[in-house]
Every structure is written in C-alpha cells, then in structure tokens.
Amino acid sequence: MKAFVLDRYGKTERLRAADVPEPDLRDDEVLIQVHATAVNLLDAKIRNGEFKLILPYRTPFVLGHDVAGVVVRVGPRVHQFKVGDEVYARPDDLRIGTFAEFVAVKEDSVAMKPRNLTMEEAASIPLVGLTAWQALVDKAKLKKGQKVFIQAGSGGVGTFAIQLAKYLGATVATTTSTGNVALVKRLGADVVIDYKNEAFEDHLSGYDVVLNSQDGKALAKSLGVLKPGGTLVSISGPPDPRFAEDIQAPWWVKQVMGLLSSGARRQARRLDVAYAFLFMKASGSQLRQITPLIESGAIRPVIDQVFPFESTNDALAYVESGRAKGKVVIKVR
C-alpha cells in the first residue's frame, strides 16, 4: 500500500511517500480502507519527538490519527462490524498510521460513520471530538448553566468544543483572531476575546471550567479566571502525576512529569481550583455518543481545507502554520 512514512524524528523532517506492507490484522481489529484522514498538531509534535517519553514509536513508522473509510477485513474476534461498513475512528496509540491506504484499528475504537457526513467530514471528527468530550464531559463534568472558557476557538478542538459546550447548556467564552470572530459566534460562543487586541484575563472571571490548549503563560493566566472549586483541563501540558499513573509510566518518568507540572499544580492549590492534564484516548463507545449529536445537527464539522493524498506534507505544514480554521483533511481515495 502507499503511505507517508517518518524515517527519523526532527522538526525539519518531511514524511516520505513509500510503498509499505499492509498492516498486520490482529484478532480484535478491523482493516479499514482509508478514504480520508485528517491532520492534527499531535502529528507534528510526534514527528518533532516531543512525545517520545509517552509514545516511544520506533522509526520508520506511519503517522496519522483520524480515519474515515470502509471495513475490508475483520479479525476472528470482531463482532460489531462487517466487511462493507462505513466507519470512522481514532486509532489507539502505538497503532496509529492513517496517512496510508489501509489501517488496522481495534474494534473497540471504531464507530459507524455518521450517516449525514461525507468521508472527508467524518475524518475531521474523531481526535478533536474525543478530546473535547473527554475534557468537558469526563474530566470537567461540565453542566448546564456553568461557564466555560475554551481557548483558540477557531482551531480544530476549539470549533468542536464550543458546539459541544453549547449542547451541554454552558455559557462559552473563547479567544480567536479578528478574522475568526464571526465564525466562533456562529458556532455558539457567547463571549469572544480578540486576542490580538485584548487580554482574556482582563475580561473573564468566575468561570467553572477552562479548556487550555496554549502555552504555560496562558495556563497561568487561565487558572486565575476560574472561581474557587473550578477545573482547568489542559491538552497542551504539562503532564501531571495522575496521567503518569494512568499510562503506568516508569518511576523516573513519573518523577519528570511531577516536576514539569509542579508549578501549575502549586498555583491551582493556592487558588483552590483543580488542574488536570488530558492526553485523549481512542474510544468507539464515545464516538457512538457523539454520532447522534452530529446526525441531529447539534454539532457540525468545520473544515478549512481538503488536500490530496500526495500533498500530505503540505497539509502537515499548513496545520503547523496555525492558520487553519477548524480541521485540515486529506482525501486518500
């Protein structure tokens, strides 16, 4: 099959177009013919080597964390899917590889594709949808009537998280650039801070939840907009000891993560708020909860651009530029 392979870690590395063997199919997996995939900042960060402590991929390997396509083979222990099913998924860590014509994915991580979406639209959903769900529903337990601050509202996670928070009945504040104010308002944002002209910490206070996706300076300021008892969930780090426990990291990795997050956790304790790091996990069952929200129109995909498969490196560079509104998708077939 054709695929885009990472030969070595590094910020300047380009993915290599190559012919590689189809992935081995395990007993509990389905083989998906990839019709479309999407690019995430996570792909660039893994290529750069930023997650080698957490995800020790051995080069060469195929990148890619989103897939929409058709099941072409099933393992002997698979019972929910059959050949011909149109599905979407975020493959499990250490089994990624959607920048390819085929990918093997655990049955438990797959869901039937929303009926009202094209393959390209469906491919834009899994990683950002699961990230927003796990941050707002699982970690923060966002409730009707609460206030949530979602950073970078015009980005991939932001565009989905705003819609999910509004569906849950929350009041939503977000940051974006001047040109994207109308977009985030259409998605449901109630309070919009143009970060080029305003500082969010001067306008926001008394919030129940913050979804942090920015750097350490923004994280420190964001803790200050929470009311006592509030929760900040960070998807951009730093990782905390609880996350190290969850992934059963070696003791020295736990020590490193404890040190990395010590400042944020200390500030959170001082302000009587909670700090939590989220590294999203694959989940077919959560995708199945997201699907009816998409089919009902409560949440709609936001796609900036669709690249052809041969332009995968261009798509990755575009995501890294920070200019994308919503998701960047790659049409594979």
Side-chain angles (χ1 to χ4, degrees):
M1 67 174 185
K2 289 180 169 49
F4 278 85
V5 176
L6 180 66
D7 287 314
R8 64 188 65 83
Y9 289 109
K11 288 186 178 181
T12 60
E13 291 300 317
R14 286 176 62 83
L15 306 181
R16 173 174 56 89
D19 287 310
V20 301
E22 284 184 15
D24 294 329
L25 188 67
R26 297 174 181 173
D27 287 357
D28 61 347
E29 292 180 332
V30 299
L31 187 66
I32 300 171
Q33 183 183 54
V34 180
H35 283 230
T37 180
V39 185
N40 299 280
L41 270 177
L42 178 60
D43 296 302
K45 289 181 176 183
I46 287 176
R47 180 206 61 196
N48 297 349
E50 294 177 33
F51 285 103
K52 282 195 283 188
L53 270 182
I54 300 170
L55 299 169
Y57 289 104
R58 297 180 63 180
T59 56
F61 65 93
V62 180
L63 271 174
H65 291 79
D66 282 309
V67 61
V70 176
V71 175
V72 293
R73 205 156 74 240
V74 299
R77 284 168 42 205
V78 170
H79 303 292
Q80 299 177 66
F81 301 99
K82 64 184 186 304
V83 172
D85 284 344
E86 295 189 344
V87 296
Y88 70 150
R90 190 283 205 199
D92 290 72
D93 292 323
L94 304 178
R95 290 293 281 171
I96 63 167
T98 61
F99 295 171
E101 292 181 309
F102 296 91
V103 65
V105 186
K106 277 176 61 176
E107 176 184 32
D108 289 345
S109 301
V110 179
M112 297 295 287
K113 179 181 79 66
R115 292 188 299 273
N116 59 330
L117 296 191
T118 64
M119 287 292 186
E120 291 78 24
E121 290 170 331
S124 76
I125 296 293
L127 186 138
V128 297
L130 291 169
T131 299
W133 186 275
Q134 289 167 22
L136 299 181
V137 177
D138 291 354
K139 289 251 184 209
K141 301 188 171 25
L142 185 65
K143 297 178 180 63
K144 184 177 181 179
Q146 289 189 319
K147 297 199 299 181
V148 57
F149 170 38
I150 296 166
Q151 296 169 356
S154 61
V157 173
T159 52
F160 193 100
I162 289 170
Q163 296 179 83
L164 177 59
K166 290 306 295 182
Y167 172 79
L168 295 171
T171 297
V172 179
T174 194
T175 50
T176 194
S177 60
T178 311
N180 294 325
V181 169
L183 167 65
V184 297
K185 284 185 174 178
R186 280 199 308 273
L187 296 175
D190 302 287
V191 180
V192 181
I193 308 294
D194 178 351
Y195 70 80
K196 294 196 172 181
N197 299 306
E198 303 169 290
F200 68 80
E201 65 271 21
D202 294 339
H203 296 270
L204 307 180
S205 63
Y207 274 67
D208 300 280
V209 175
V210 172
L211 176 52
N212 177 73
S213 58
Q214 303 301 296
D215 61 17
K217 288 182 180 178
L219 191 157
K221 294 173 183 176
S222 297
L223 286 168
V225 311
L226 288 166
K227 69 181 187 183
T231 300
L232 182 145
V233 180
S234 179
I235 60 173
S236 57
D240 58 4
R242 177 173 292 182
F243 170 70
E245 292 285 348
D246 288 345
I247 64 169
Q248 299 179 324
W251 68 269
W252 62 273
V253 174
K254 292 177 184 176
Q255 296 294 111
V256 170
M257 290 184 184
L259 286 170
L260 288 172
S261 62
S262 59
R265 290 183 291 117
R266 189 162 52 244
Q267 184 186 357
R269 284 195 300 272
R270 192 167 64 246
L271 295 170
D272 190 26
V273 299
Y275 171 78
F277 171 70
L278 171 70
F279 193 88
M280 62 80 57
K281 297 176 182 175
S283 173
S285 63
Q286 288 180 343
L287 278 179
R288 285 192 288 277
Q289 293 177 80
I290 290 168
T291 297
L293 305 187
I294 295 169
E295 291 182 339
S296 71
I299 295 176
R300 63 185 188 275
V302 178
I303 295 176
D304 182 295
Q305 203 168 328
V306 179
F307 285 77
F309 189 35
E310 60 268 22
S311 300
T312 292
N313 277 302
D314 296 333
L316 188 56
Y318 184 57
V319 167
E320 281 190 283
S321 74
R323 299 195 307 270
K325 302 171 189 175
K327 289 299 292 286
V328 172
V329 172
I330 296 168
K331 182 178 175 64
V332 178
R333 62 175 294 117

